[in-house]
Structure formats: structure tokens, C-alpha cells
């Protein structure tokens, strides 16, 4: 994490952020400024446009840490702005929006156009606004609205304040210092490992398990840490973790494809969000180190329907608890998701969902261990009966919890 100090809509903000966090995510998820919309997340559509030191930028491809010391203005910060007010009225008068998704970014770019180009004609406006895409309106109303503001200001002899924008190019405050991103990102995992007691601490973990914690190796987009405790001795849990097929089917929504070995498993994971069902088919391999009771599972999977793919690693370490009567399972997950479903890996909601999935995994694991010495085949069959992850209730319950937290903090409880 890195601490940044920026001014957002006139208010000083100091916060710790992941070095890889984009400015749009920071504003939306940490400051609840959801007026900044995210469309393509590739710097193409312009939905996320906002002002950094007065210059329009794509906040989906601008790192929050690059804005150290900068003045950030979102659409919420333009409530009292004269030109933005004129544009809002013109957009509404000229029917320049339908769904409104592109509108915050459009207003920011339109304001910049009005300020920079007091004599702009229709063609100039179309060129100036070509970095903002709208899928609803056909642009006619948008161009007419901007043109009408320019014409009215000209007729009234109103001059726009000078644009702070001197040049085109990447924007940022220019005050952020370069940082060893990998080293910062790796710090929490290293700190956690250092806190682990006894022979299962970081120094004693399997070389394979240590390798993925080192900066610059693998570099997953999303990393998570979870832990849970089961009321069984470590030797018993370790033996269970040796049966890769059983471990895989403790994950909700996971079924086996073919017969697993103790080192290799092929699986299908079904995830359902409303009417959309994704089926990730993939394979995973495990490397275990009995001396440190740790292991690393490495795999990849692909969903043909959504054209999304993922690859990742799960490191686990088993730690004796309650004088050997229980076992704490510490899990580090790192994964990269590509394709249309990648948008879900960015949100912090994924952390809440991961926690719930870990909880479900822990419950399944306890149930399997409760069955005593059932065979691997019997356990695998039982796990396969969990037919799919229904992500919609998970997401709804996450959102509901957030609403409750928000109102509690509002009421000071
Ligand atoms: Fe940033 Fe599309 S979301 S440009
Ligand atoms: Fe719907 Fe522009 S009004 S995308």
C-alpha cells in the first residue's frame, strides 16, 4: 500500500492505496464518488473522464498514486461550475442523453471544449468530442447542446476562463515519485508470512510456495488472503489435502472432469450470475512440501461462452492450533482473469465473494472430515453435487452488507 495525498472536489484526501489501483476505482470504491462511470476500462470510451489539475484524463488508465498532490475534479465537483451548469441545461433541452451512462464523461469533455474553443463549429465539436462514445443518442443532440452553449456565450460576450490545458498527452500531477511496485505489493504477504508461527513460517515454506510470493514472478492481477480453522489435527487435514480431487470439489460449483491423480486434476466450475452461466473448464497441478505442511496449486481455465480465461495459484499452509487439536489453514490466492468477465476481478466486491467462497470451502472441508475415513471416490462424488456457484445472491448479500455498514457509520454506531 502507498499513502497518497490529493485534493478531490476541493477537499483534502489522504488514503492508502494499492500501487496498481486506478484513479476511477479509488474514487468510486473508496470515496463513493460514483458519478465517474466505467465503460471499456481501456481508455477508449471516455465514460471515466474527469479533471486532474484542470486537464481531462481517462481515470480508468490513470493510477491513483500518479496523482499524488494533484487536484482531482469529478462530475460531482462541478455542481456549482457555471459552464457545467449551462451544459447540463443544454443537454436536457437538446435531448443529449438517453441512458446517461456516457453523460458525466461527456460533460467534462464538453466543458473542456467550451473553454478551449470559443469559436468552434459543428465539425470542431465533433472532433473535440471524438474521444467520448455514446451508444444511445447518435451524437446529434450532444453536438447541438455544446454548440448552443458556445453560441450563447459568444452572443452574451461571456468569455470562458482560460483553459489550464497547455498540451496533450498523459496526465498526472507529475509529483508522484517512482516506486518499487512489486516490492510494495509483496509486502503484506511477506508480513503475514513473518507472523506465522513455528516451522510453517515463511522461512520454512516449500521453495515452490515461496517462489510465487516473490515480487515480479507471476504477477497476478488480483491477490487475496483468507484463513479458517478446522477442529481436526494437522496430520488429518494434511492427508485430506493430499487428495487433490477431494480438495477441488470442496469449492462450490466445482465438478471433476475425468479421474484425478494426487498431483493433477481437471475440473469444471459453474458460475451463475442471473441468467448468465459461465463454465470454466481447466486443469490444475499441485506441488506439496510435507516438511512445512504447505503446498501450491497452479492452474488455468477457460470459459468458451464468455470468452474469458483465468490462470492463478493457490498457496496454502497448515498451522497447528489449540495445542494440536485444530488446524488453521492460511490461503493466499493470486489470479488473473481476462476477457469480458475480467471487470469482476477489479472490484473489491471480489474480496467479499472470495471470503464467502472460502467460508463455503471450509464448511465442505469440515463436512468431509466429519465423514471420517470415507474414500476419495465417495468424497469426490459428494462434492460434485454442488452444481454451480450462484453469484447473484452472493453479490446481493455483499451489497446489502455494505448498505448496512454505510448507515451504521452514518448513525455513528
Ligand atoms: Fe475509461 Fe472507457 S472507461 S475510457
Ligand atoms: Fe446512453 Fe450516451 S446516453 S451511452
Amino acid at each position: 500500500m502507498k499513502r497518497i495525498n490529493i485534493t478531490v472536489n476541493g477537499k483534502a484526501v489522504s488514503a492508502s492505496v494499492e500501487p496498481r489501483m486506478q484513479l476511477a476505482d479509488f474514487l468510486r470504491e473508496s470515496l463513493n464518488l460514483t458519478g465517474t462511470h466505467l465503460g471499456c476500462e481501456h481508455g477508449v470510451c471516455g465514460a471515466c473522464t474527469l479533471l486532474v489539475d484542470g486537464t481531462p484524463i481517462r481515470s480508468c488508465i490513470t493510477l491513483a498514486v500518479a496523482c499524488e498532490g494533484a487536484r482531482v475534479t469529478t462530475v460531482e465537483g462541478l455542481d456549482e461550475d457555471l459552464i457545467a451548469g449551462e451544459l447540463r441545461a443544454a443537454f436536457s433541452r437538446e435531448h443529449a442523453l438517453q441512458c446517461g451512462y456516457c453523460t458525466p464523461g461527456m460533460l467534462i469533455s464538453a466543458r473542456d471544449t467550451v473553454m478551449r474553443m470559443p469559436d468552434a463549429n459543428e465539425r470542431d465539436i465533433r472532433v473535440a468530442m471524438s474521444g467520448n462514445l455514446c451508444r444511445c443518442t447518435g451524437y446529434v443532440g450532444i453536438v447541438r447542446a455544446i454548440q448552443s452553449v458556445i453560441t450563447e456565450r459568444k452572443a452574451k460576450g461571456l468569455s470562458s476562463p482560460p483553459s489550464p490545458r497547455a498540451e496533450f498527452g498523459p496526465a498526472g500531477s507529475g509529483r508522484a515519485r517512482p516506486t518499487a511496485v512489486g516490492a510494495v505489493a509483496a509486502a503484506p504477504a511477506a508480513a503475514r508470512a513473518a507472523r506465522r508461527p513455528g516451522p510453517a513460517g515463511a522461512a520454512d515454506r516449500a521453495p515452490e510456495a515461496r517462489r510465487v510470493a516473490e515480487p515480479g514472478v507471476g504477477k497476478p492481477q488480483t491477490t487475496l488472503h483468507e484463513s479458517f480453522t478446522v477442529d481436526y489435527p494437522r496430520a488429518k487435514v494434511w492427508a485430506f489435502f493430499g487428495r487433490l480431487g477431494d480438495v477441488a470439489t470442496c469449492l462450490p460449483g466445482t465438478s471433476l472432469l475425468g479421474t484425478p491423480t494426487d498431483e493433477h486434476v481437471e475440473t469444471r466450475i459453474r458460475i451463475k450470475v442471473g441468467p448468465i452461466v459461465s463454465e470454466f473448464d481447466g486443469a490444475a497441478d499441485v506441488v506439496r512440501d510435507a516438511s512445512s505442511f504447505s503446498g501450491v496449486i497452479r492452474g488455468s481455465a477457460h470459459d468458451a461462452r464468455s470468452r474469458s480465461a483465468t490462470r492463478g495459484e493457490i498457496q496454502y499452509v497448515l498451522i497447528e492450533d489449540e495445542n494440536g487439536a485444530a488446524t488453521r489453514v492460511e490461503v493466499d490466492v493470486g489470479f488473473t482473469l481476462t476477457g469480458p468477465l475480467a471487470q469482476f476481478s477489479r472490484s473489491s466486491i471480489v474480496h467479499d465473494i472470495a471470503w464467502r467462497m472460502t467460508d463455503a470451502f471450509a464448511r465442505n472441508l469440515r463436512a468431509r472430515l466429519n465423514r471420517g475415513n470415507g474414500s476419495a471416490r465417495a468424497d469426490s462424488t459428494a462434492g460434485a453435487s454442488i452444481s454451480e456457484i450462484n453469484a447473484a445472491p452472493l453479490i446481493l448479500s455483499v451489497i446489502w452488507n455494505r448498505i448496512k455498514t454505510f448507515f451504521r457509520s452514518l448513525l455513528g454506531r
Side-chain angles (χ1 to χ4, degrees):
M1 301 290 265
K2 180 163 171 43
R3 183 148 285 275
I4 55 166
N5 299 289
I6 56 177
T7 304
V8 180
N9 298 334
K11 287 191 194 137
V13 172
S14 180
S16 288
V17 297
E18 293 277 1
R20 64 176 176 273
M21 186 176 235
Q22 302 295 352
L23 179 59
D25 293 329
F26 173 65
L27 295 168
R28 289 177 57 84
E29 295 185 12
S30 303
L31 304 186
N32 211 22
L33 290 170
T34 51
T36 298
H37 290 176
L38 283 164
C40 65
E41 298 186 57
H42 283 81
V44 176
C45 73
C48 64
T49 308
L50 48 74
L51 301 173
V52 170
D53 288 339
T55 301
I57 60 119
R58 310 291 210 209
S59 57
C60 71
I61 51 170
T62 302
L63 294 171
V65 292
C67 297
E68 168 66 23
R71 255 180 324 109
V72 175
T73 307
T74 67
V75 73
E76 292 95 336
L78 293 177
D79 275 0
E80 308 298 325
D81 183 86
L82 207 58
I83 298 174
E86 291 168 21
L87 282 164
R88 280 195 297 270
F91 267 54
S92 147
R93 187 176 63 239
E94 301 292 346
H95 308 293
L97 68 151
Q98 286 180 25
C99 78
Y101 201 83
C102 67
T103 308
M106 284 284 177
L107 284 172
I108 301 267
S109 296
R111 178 179 174 276
D112 179 64
T113 303
V114 171
M115 287 170 73
R116 283 191 302 110
M117 306 166 73
D119 298 311
N121 58 26
E122 182 191 331
R123 186 177 175 284
D124 297 332
I125 294 169
R126 284 185 181 274
V127 171
M129 296 296 295
S130 60
N132 289 76
L133 305 183
C134 172
R135 65 178 187 178
C136 301
T137 63
Y139 301 99
V140 173
I142 294 170
V143 174
R144 216 162 36 207
I146 299 169
Q147 181 81 76
S148 74
V149 170
I150 290 174
T151 307
E152 276 168 28
R153 293 187 76 78
K154 211 167 164 182
K156 290 180 187 163
L158 294 172
S159 62
S160 301
S163 168
R165 187 175 177 181
E167 57 187 21
F168 292 98
S173 69
R175 288 183 278 265
R177 284 190 304 279
T179 180
V181 171
V184 174
R192 276 196 306 275
R195 281 201 298 275
R196 286 175 191 149
D204 297 308
R205 296 175 78 181
E208 280 297 314
R210 275 204 306 275
R211 191 187 72 77
V212 294
E214 288 164 5
V217 180
K219 288 190 180 163
Q221 270 173 0
T222 304
T223 54
L224 310 159
H225 175 80
E226 300 292 345
S227 72
F228 59 89
T229 301
V230 287
D231 293 330
Y232 292 92
R234 183 164 66 175
K236 181 163 183 169
V237 180
W238 177 249
F240 183 86
F241 270 65
R243 302 196 299 269
L244 191 51
D246 293 352
V247 175
T249 51
C250 280
L251 268 179
T254 303
S255 56
L256 299 177
L257 301 174
T259 309
T261 68
D262 289 348
E263 290 84 33
H264 180 83
V265 66
E266 296 186 7
T267 58
R268 169 169 296 159
I269 304 179
R270 275 172 70 88
I271 302 172
K272 186 169 185 288
V273 185
I276 303 165
V277 178
S278 298
E279 282 186 348
F280 282 88
D281 288 355
D285 293 287
V286 67
V287 178
R288 304 211 313 153
D289 178 38
S291 65
S292 60
F293 291 93
S294 66
V296 58
I297 301 168
R298 211 169 270 132
S300 60
H302 176 256
D303 172 40
R305 263 184 272 188
S306 69
R307 299 184 318 285
S308 297
T310 184
R311 63 185 157 75
E313 293 176 339
I314 301 173
Q315 300 173 45
Y316 64 84
V317 59
L318 310 182
I319 298 165
E320 283 192 321
D321 217 354
E322 296 174 19
N323 296 321
T327 304
R328 191 166 81 250
V329 183
E330 300 259 351
V331 187
D332 282 299
V333 180
F335 69 93
T336 299
L337 191 57
T338 53
L341 291 180
Q343 58 183 304
F344 294 112
S345 72
R346 174 189 46 76
S347 165
S348 63
I349 280 181
V350 85
H351 290 256
D352 295 296
I353 291 175
W355 181 84
R356 283 162 169 75
M357 286 186 66
T358 307
D359 191 46
F361 177 86
R363 272 187 279 117
N364 291 338
L365 176 62
R366 282 184 201 110
R368 303 281 184 87
L369 290 168
N370 266 338
R371 281 181 213 157
N373 299 320
S375 72
R377 182 178 294 278
D379 283 348
S380 301
T381 308
S385 67
I386 306 162
S387 62
E388 64 194 12
I389 303 166
N390 193 344
L394 284 176
I395 291 170
L396 282 176
S397 93
V398 167
I399 292 171
W400 175 236
N401 277 340
R402 288 186 176 197
I403 291 170
K404 283 196 292 193
T405 308
F406 172 72
F407 278 106
R408 270 195 211 112
S409 69
L410 208 66
L411 298 170
R413 287 192 286 141

